[in-house]
Amino acid sequence: MQPHIATITKIIDETPDVKTFQVVFDDPQVLDNFGNLPGQVAQLSVIGTGEATISITSSPTRKGFLEFSIKKVGRLTSVIHQLEEGSKIGVRGPYGNHFPYEMMKGKDLLFIGGGIGLAPLRSLIDFVLADENRKDYGKVEIIYGARSKADLCFKYDLFDRWPKAKDCQVYVTIDRPEEGWDGKVAFVPAYLEELNPSPQNKIAITCGPPIMIKFVLQALEKMGYTEDQIVTTLELKMKCGIGKCGRCNIGHKFVCVDGPVFTLAQLKQMPNEF
Ligand SMILES: Cc1cc2nc3c(=O)[nH]c(=O)nc-3n(C[C@H](O)[C@H](O)[C@H](O)COP(=O)(O)OP(=O)(O)OC[C@H]3O[C@@H](n4cnc5c(N)ncnc54)[C@H](O)[C@@H]3O)c2cc1C
Ligand code: FES
């Protein structure tokens, strides 16, 4: 339960209320033994304020640092947003399960994200697109949306890095038309239905606001994706992160240990409390 002390080495302003923090452990051996996998989370802390569960948005294939993208919503996240490069932060983890990247080998991958929900997906996207793993996976498609242009996270990935990657298509949309945006305007589930990507030999991975996830899951099923072809990651309130406090349970499952990554087939066997 003891956090490791890390230093914030870079801060990127993603949107008016989301910042990405690159952190490096003060003891370099901690990262060597950290062993995070795509989709896992960490508990970030500021002494005297508290802790929050945050997805590790960097892929383990990107060495030397961890990245966390944090939306300012309350007490701790507001304090973290005031930190500067050089500030210290506590990190414990990694916690939870990970995206089933072994089961995804040989398949095409369809990522569908909304808002800050791209943060956990990004760890898997970069894992799959990394030189050492690229041959193990087929075509990568990324459908991503936010309320407005200003609310798009990871613009440097969406408009530069990922479109340049081999066999990778990126589709970006915003909810409402606005000046200076000549791209797509549609809600993510509607754009997904319009693009209508074939379910053949494909796994769909989605994360975003609950309302988006609800309609994305419906659209995928309508398009012929089976429950085992759909993977999502849940954001329920967590405290301990290690299956002890009972804060995150859905029925007999603990999201912090059994999740946060679930297939739709697994979700359908759980009580509808998420
Ligand atoms: C598995 C998992 C992964 C997550 N990944 C990220 C991430 O990558 N980036 C990120 O910005 N956030 C992420 N979150 C959400 C993050 O944990 C909360 O936003 C954070 O704990 C809020 O802390 P706070 O002290 O600032 O807010 P508080 O002051 O505690 O609360 C402010 C408001 O946010 C609500 N809230 C608090 N925690 C949560 C939560 N977990 N989910 C929904 N609403 C909440 C409260 O009800 C309240 O309305 C994740 C949560 C989980 C469980
Ligand atoms: S967060 Fe404590 S049991 Fe899951």
Side-chain angles (χ1 to χ4, degrees), residues 41 52-55 69-71 73-78 116 119 234-238 260:
V41 301
T53 312
I54 304 291
S55 304
S69 295
I70 303 180
K71 183 166 181 159
V73 295
R75 218 165 84 85
L76 180 70
T77 49
S78 301
I116 184 77
L234 294 183
E235 278 197 13
L236 274 203
K237 284 193 186 177
M238 288 188 189

mmCIF file of all heavy atoms in Angstrom, residues 41 52-55 69-71 73-78 116 119 234-238 260, ligand 1:
data_model
loop_
_atom_site.group_PDB
_atom_site.id
_atom_site.type_symbol
_atom_site.label_atom_id
_atom_site.label_comp_id
_atom_site.label_asym_id
_atom_site.label_seq_id
_atom_site.Cartn_x
_atom_site.Cartn_y
_atom_site.Cartn_z
ATOM 1 N N VAL A 41 -4.185 0.144 -14.030
ATOM 2 C CA VAL A 41 -4.302 1.457 -13.388
ATOM 3 C C VAL A 41 -3.275 1.574 -12.271
ATOM 4 O O VAL A 41 -2.653 0.588 -11.868
ATOM 5 C CB VAL A 41 -5.723 1.674 -12.790
ATOM 6 C CG1 VAL A 41 -6.784 1.567 -13.869
ATOM 7 C CG2 VAL A 41 -6.004 0.691 -11.661
ATOM 8 N N ALA A 52 -6.199 8.826 -5.956
ATOM 9 C CA ALA A 52 -7.204 8.578 -6.989
ATOM 10 C C ALA A 52 -6.709 7.476 -7.918
ATOM 11 O O ALA A 52 -5.506 7.332 -8.142
ATOM 12 C CB ALA A 52 -7.456 9.845 -7.801
ATOM 13 N N THR A 53 -7.665 6.718 -8.437
ATOM 14 C CA THR A 53 -7.349 5.663 -9.408
ATOM 15 C C THR A 53 -7.233 6.295 -10.784
ATOM 16 O O THR A 53 -8.165 6.960 -11.240
ATOM 17 C CB THR A 53 -8.503 4.631 -9.453
ATOM 18 O OG1 THR A 53 -8.854 4.262 -8.139
ATOM 19 C CG2 THR A 53 -8.124 3.414 -10.281
ATOM 20 N N ILE A 54 -6.110 6.097 -11.447
ATOM 21 C CA ILE A 54 -5.906 6.689 -12.770
ATOM 22 C C ILE A 54 -5.289 5.631 -13.694
ATOM 23 O O ILE A 54 -4.365 4.910 -13.300
ATOM 24 C CB ILE A 54 -4.959 7.928 -12.692
ATOM 25 C CG1 ILE A 54 -5.498 8.992 -11.702
ATOM 26 C CG2 ILE A 54 -4.716 8.519 -14.085
ATOM 27 C CD1 ILE A 54 -6.764 9.720 -12.103
ATOM 28 N N SER A 55 -5.808 5.542 -14.909
ATOM 29 C CA SER A 55 -5.276 4.582 -15.888
ATOM 30 C C SER A 55 -3.852 4.974 -16.269
ATOM 31 O O SER A 55 -3.545 6.163 -16.412
ATOM 32 C CB SER A 55 -6.119 4.600 -17.164
ATOM 33 O OG SER A 55 -7.460 4.353 -16.862
ATOM 34 N N SER A 69 -3.199 10.654 -17.775
ATOM 35 C CA SER A 69 -3.981 11.796 -18.248
ATOM 36 C C SER A 69 -5.132 11.989 -17.279
ATOM 37 O O SER A 69 -5.907 11.061 -17.043
ATOM 38 C CB SER A 69 -4.516 11.527 -19.649
ATOM 39 O OG SER A 69 -3.423 11.429 -20.522
ATOM 40 N N ILE A 70 -5.208 13.192 -16.719
ATOM 41 C CA ILE A 70 -6.087 13.379 -15.565
ATOM 42 C C ILE A 70 -7.071 14.513 -15.810
ATOM 43 O O ILE A 70 -6.675 15.641 -16.141
ATOM 44 C CB ILE A 70 -5.245 13.666 -14.298
ATOM 45 C CG1 ILE A 70 -4.261 12.508 -14.095
ATOM 46 C CG2 ILE A 70 -6.142 13.870 -13.085
ATOM 47 C CD1 ILE A 70 -3.367 12.656 -12.897
ATOM 48 N N LYS A 71 -8.351 14.186 -15.636
ATOM 49 C CA LYS A 71 -9.404 15.191 -15.767
ATOM 50 C C LYS A 71 -9.664 15.808 -14.403
ATOM 51 O O LYS A 71 -9.808 15.090 -13.409
ATOM 52 C CB LYS A 71 -10.675 14.524 -16.301
ATOM 53 C CG LYS A 71 -11.795 15.477 -16.548
ATOM 54 C CD LYS A 71 -12.863 14.805 -17.380
ATOM 55 C CE LYS A 71 -13.974 15.783 -17.649
ATOM 56 N NZ LYS A 71 -14.780 15.432 -18.777
ATOM 57 N N VAL A 73 -11.803 16.949 -11.761
ATOM 58 C CA VAL A 73 -13.222 16.808 -11.395
ATOM 59 C C VAL A 73 -13.482 17.133 -9.932
ATOM 60 O O VAL A 73 -14.619 17.386 -9.545
ATOM 61 C CB VAL A 73 -13.769 15.379 -11.683
ATOM 62 C CG1 VAL A 73 -13.783 15.066 -13.165
ATOM 63 C CG2 VAL A 73 -13.015 14.312 -10.904
ATOM 64 N N GLY A 74 -12.462 17.075 -9.073
ATOM 65 C CA GLY A 74 -12.730 17.250 -7.639
ATOM 66 C C GLY A 74 -11.475 17.604 -6.876
ATOM 67 O O GLY A 74 -10.541 18.199 -7.415
ATOM 68 N N ARG A 75 -11.463 17.181 -5.616
ATOM 69 C CA ARG A 75 -10.440 17.622 -4.666
ATOM 70 C C ARG A 75 -9.013 17.262 -5.107
ATOM 71 O O ARG A 75 -8.178 18.133 -5.344
ATOM 72 C CB ARG A 75 -10.740 16.980 -3.301
ATOM 73 C CG ARG A 75 -10.465 17.881 -2.117
ATOM 74 C CD ARG A 75 -11.147 17.296 -0.890
ATOM 75 N NE ARG A 75 -10.310 16.277 -0.253
ATOM 76 C CZ ARG A 75 -9.354 16.549 0.632
ATOM 77 N NH1 ARG A 75 -9.108 17.792 0.972
ATOM 78 N NH2 ARG A 75 -8.652 15.592 1.187
ATOM 79 N N LEU A 76 -8.764 15.963 -5.259
ATOM 80 C CA LEU A 76 -7.385 15.548 -5.550
ATOM 81 C C LEU A 76 -6.959 15.941 -6.965
ATOM 82 O O LEU A 76 -5.839 16.427 -7.178
ATOM 83 C CB LEU A 76 -7.224 14.036 -5.366
ATOM 84 C CG LEU A 76 -5.811 13.573 -5.670
ATOM 85 C CD1 LEU A 76 -4.832 14.059 -4.618
ATOM 86 C CD2 LEU A 76 -5.723 12.075 -5.800
ATOM 87 N N THR A 77 -7.858 15.711 -7.919
ATOM 88 C CA THR A 77 -7.465 15.999 -9.304
ATOM 89 C C THR A 77 -7.199 17.501 -9.488
ATOM 90 O O THR A 77 -6.344 17.889 -10.284
ATOM 91 C CB THR A 77 -8.525 15.479 -10.305
ATOM 92 O OG1 THR A 77 -9.819 15.919 -9.890
ATOM 93 C CG2 THR A 77 -8.519 13.965 -10.388
ATOM 94 N N SER A 78 -7.889 18.363 -8.702
ATOM 95 C CA SER A 78 -7.607 19.813 -8.784
ATOM 96 C C SER A 78 -6.221 20.116 -8.230
ATOM 97 O O SER A 78 -5.486 20.947 -8.778
ATOM 98 C CB SER A 78 -8.643 20.614 -7.994
ATOM 99 O OG SER A 78 -9.916 20.353 -8.511
ATOM 100 N N ILE A 116 -12.029 11.550 -22.167
ATOM 101 C CA ILE A 116 -10.869 11.030 -21.425
ATOM 102 C C ILE A 116 -10.801 9.495 -21.523
ATOM 103 O O ILE A 116 -9.783 8.889 -21.179
ATOM 104 C CB ILE A 116 -10.930 11.510 -19.938
ATOM 105 C CG1 ILE A 116 -9.710 11.099 -19.108
ATOM 106 C CG2 ILE A 116 -12.188 11.022 -19.258
ATOM 107 C CD1 ILE A 116 -8.494 11.916 -19.356
ATOM 108 N N ALA A 119 -7.789 7.534 -22.765
ATOM 109 C CA ALA A 119 -6.567 7.340 -21.960
ATOM 110 C C ALA A 119 -6.205 5.859 -21.778
ATOM 111 O O ALA A 119 -5.082 5.458 -22.090
ATOM 112 C CB ALA A 119 -6.682 8.064 -20.625
ATOM 113 N N LEU A 234 -14.105 -0.444 -17.302
ATOM 114 C CA LEU A 234 -15.058 0.285 -16.457
ATOM 115 C C LEU A 234 -14.344 1.266 -15.542
ATOM 116 O O LEU A 234 -13.239 1.013 -15.089
ATOM 117 C CB LEU A 234 -15.814 -0.700 -15.555
ATOM 118 C CG LEU A 234 -16.763 -1.700 -16.213
ATOM 119 C CD1 LEU A 234 -17.441 -2.519 -15.132
ATOM 120 C CD2 LEU A 234 -17.803 -0.999 -17.065
ATOM 121 N N GLU A 235 -15.034 2.355 -15.232
ATOM 122 C CA GLU A 235 -14.498 3.310 -14.249
ATOM 123 C C GLU A 235 -15.461 3.400 -13.075
ATOM 124 O O GLU A 235 -16.340 4.236 -13.063
ATOM 125 C CB GLU A 235 -14.360 4.695 -14.874
ATOM 126 C CG GLU A 235 -13.107 4.843 -15.677
ATOM 127 C CD GLU A 235 -12.755 6.286 -15.958
ATOM 128 O OE1 GLU A 235 -13.329 7.179 -15.330
ATOM 129 O OE2 GLU A 235 -11.900 6.488 -16.837
ATOM 130 N N LEU A 236 -15.353 2.480 -12.146
ATOM 131 C CA LEU A 236 -16.165 2.577 -10.931
ATOM 132 C C LEU A 236 -15.314 3.171 -9.830
ATOM 133 O O LEU A 236 -14.095 3.090 -9.868
ATOM 134 C CB LEU A 236 -16.604 1.182 -10.495
ATOM 135 C CG LEU A 236 -17.857 0.599 -11.110
ATOM 136 C CD1 LEU A 236 -18.417 -0.466 -10.191
ATOM 137 C CD2 LEU A 236 -18.928 1.636 -11.374
ATOM 138 N N LYS A 237 -15.957 3.726 -8.806
ATOM 139 C CA LYS A 237 -15.171 4.321 -7.726
ATOM 140 C C LYS A 237 -14.339 3.256 -7.023
ATOM 141 O O LYS A 237 -14.826 2.191 -6.706
ATOM 142 C CB LYS A 237 -16.101 4.987 -6.726
ATOM 143 C CG LYS A 237 -16.606 6.294 -7.264
ATOM 144 C CD LYS A 237 -17.243 7.093 -6.181
ATOM 145 C CE LYS A 237 -17.857 8.328 -6.809
ATOM 146 N NZ LYS A 237 -18.566 9.121 -5.826
ATOM 147 N N MET A 238 -13.088 3.563 -6.784
ATOM 148 C CA MET A 238 -12.196 2.617 -6.111
ATOM 149 C C MET A 238 -11.499 3.315 -4.954
ATOM 150 O O MET A 238 -11.364 4.535 -4.967
ATOM 151 C CB MET A 238 -11.088 2.171 -7.067
ATOM 152 C CG MET A 238 -11.550 1.254 -8.146
ATOM 153 S SD MET A 238 -10.074 0.666 -8.979
ATOM 154 C CE MET A 238 -10.813 -0.164 -10.340
ATOM 155 N N PRO A 260 -10.214 -3.594 -14.374
ATOM 156 C CA PRO A 260 -11.389 -2.920 -14.940
ATOM 157 C C PRO A 260 -11.773 -3.391 -16.342
ATOM 158 O O PRO A 260 -12.771 -2.957 -16.872
ATOM 159 C CB PRO A 260 -10.950 -1.447 -14.987
ATOM 160 C CG PRO A 260 -9.463 -1.506 -15.164
ATOM 161 C CD PRO A 260 -9.010 -2.715 -14.393
HETATM 162 C C1 LIG B 1 -10.387 2.005 -13.194
HETATM 163 C C2 LIG B 1 -10.421 3.516 -13.184
HETATM 164 C C3 LIG B 1 -9.642 4.222 -14.082
HETATM 165 C C4 LIG B 1 -9.680 5.628 -14.093
HETATM 166 N N1 LIG B 1 -8.879 6.279 -14.977
HETATM 167 C C5 LIG B 1 -8.894 7.625 -14.984
HETATM 168 C C6 LIG B 1 -8.021 8.349 -15.859
HETATM 169 O O1 LIG B 1 -7.222 7.777 -16.623
HETATM 170 N N2 LIG B 1 -8.067 9.697 -15.835
HETATM 171 C C7 LIG B 1 -8.938 10.377 -14.993
HETATM 172 O O2 LIG B 1 -8.942 11.626 -15.032
HETATM 173 N N3 LIG B 1 -9.769 9.737 -14.165
HETATM 174 C C8 LIG B 1 -9.761 8.376 -14.111
HETATM 175 N N4 LIG B 1 -10.576 7.713 -13.241
HETATM 176 C C9 LIG B 1 -11.498 8.516 -12.391
HETATM 177 C C10 LIG B 1 -10.736 9.102 -11.209
HETATM 178 O O3 LIG B 1 -10.392 8.054 -10.319
HETATM 179 C C11 LIG B 1 -11.618 10.144 -10.458
HETATM 180 O O4 LIG B 1 -11.968 11.164 -11.328
HETATM 181 C C12 LIG B 1 -10.848 10.689 -9.256
HETATM 182 O O5 LIG B 1 -10.732 9.713 -8.257
HETATM 183 C C13 LIG B 1 -11.564 11.893 -8.681
HETATM 184 O O6 LIG B 1 -10.838 12.309 -7.540
HETATM 185 P P1 LIG B 1 -11.060 13.745 -6.877
HETATM 186 O O7 LIG B 1 -10.540 13.695 -5.482
HETATM 187 O O8 LIG B 1 -10.496 14.797 -7.771
HETATM 188 O O9 LIG B 1 -12.631 13.889 -6.908
HETATM 189 P P2 LIG B 1 -13.636 13.897 -5.669
HETATM 190 O O10 LIG B 1 -13.484 15.209 -4.965
HETATM 191 O O11 LIG B 1 -13.479 12.631 -4.887
HETATM 192 O O12 LIG B 1 -14.995 13.820 -6.472
HETATM 193 C C14 LIG B 1 -15.399 14.821 -7.414
HETATM 194 C C15 LIG B 1 -16.545 14.311 -8.243
HETATM 195 O O13 LIG B 1 -16.120 13.204 -9.064
HETATM 196 C C16 LIG B 1 -16.872 12.053 -8.748
HETATM 197 N N5 LIG B 1 -15.970 10.895 -8.791
HETATM 198 C C17 LIG B 1 -14.965 10.623 -7.938
HETATM 199 N N6 LIG B 1 -14.361 9.480 -8.305
HETATM 200 C C18 LIG B 1 -14.983 9.036 -9.406
HETATM 201 C C19 LIG B 1 -14.830 7.904 -10.280
HETATM 202 N N7 LIG B 1 -13.915 6.961 -10.057
HETATM 203 N N8 LIG B 1 -15.654 7.792 -11.320
HETATM 204 C C20 LIG B 1 -16.600 8.702 -11.554
HETATM 205 N N9 LIG B 1 -16.790 9.782 -10.784
HETATM 206 C C21 LIG B 1 -16.005 9.938 -9.732
HETATM 207 C C22 LIG B 1 -17.456 12.286 -7.370
HETATM 208 O O14 LIG B 1 -18.657 11.577 -7.180
HETATM 209 C C23 LIG B 1 -17.702 13.776 -7.414
HETATM 210 O O15 LIG B 1 -18.901 14.071 -8.091
HETATM 211 C C24 LIG B 1 -10.530 6.328 -13.192
HETATM 212 C C25 LIG B 1 -11.282 5.620 -12.269
HETATM 213 C C26 LIG B 1 -11.216 4.230 -12.240
HETATM 214 C C27 LIG B 1 -11.981 3.496 -11.216
#
